[in-house]
Structures are given as C-alpha cells and as structure tokens.
Amino acid sequence: MNRKKEICSCYHVTKGDIADAVADGAACYKDIKKATKAGKACGKCKKKVKKLMKKLLAD
C-alpha cells in the first residue's frame, strides 16, 4: 500500500492517515471522519475511505 497516496483532496488525507486511524481504534466511517476529517467537506472520497477501511479492518 502506498501510504502517501491522497484519498481526500479537501483535507489532504492519505492512505497512511486512514491506516493510522484504524490502527488507533477507528472501526467505522464516522470514526475515520472524526480522526482525519476525510469526507467532511465535499464527500467525494467517502467510497474510497469506506473501501480502504473495510480492507484494513479485514487484515
């Protein structure tokens, strides 16, 4: 996984930021949004965030 790849362009949230949030206990989209702000502005990244979160939680 490329941890530097940007998922949320509004807040410049990367895959690594989301992975860190999951590692710190984020277990749902709302937790990720609270920890990283991803999806808080325009919402275009919501699908990407949820897909990555599910993948990380399954591992």
Side-chain angles (χ1 to χ4, degrees):
M1 174 176 72
N2 180 0
R3 291 183 53 89
K4 293 182 181 182
K5 181 167 171 84
E6 192 172 80
I7 296 291
C8 173
S9 58
C10 295
Y11 289 102
H12 308 289
V13 179
T14 64
K15 283 185 174 184
D17 295 328
I18 294 170
D20 292 344
V22 169
D24 289 341
C28 66
Y29 175 72
K30 189 176 177 181
D31 293 343
I32 301 252
K33 192 162 97 170
K34 185 177 180 183
T36 66
K37 295 186 181 178
K40 238 181 174 179
C42 75
K44 286 183 182 179
C45 63
K46 186 175 181 177
K47 276 187 177 181
K48 290 180 186 177
V49 172
K50 284 185 172 188
K51 185 178 177 182
L52 178 59
M53 179 193 67
K54 285 179 185 178
K55 182 181 176 194
L56 292 167
L57 289 172
D59 289 345

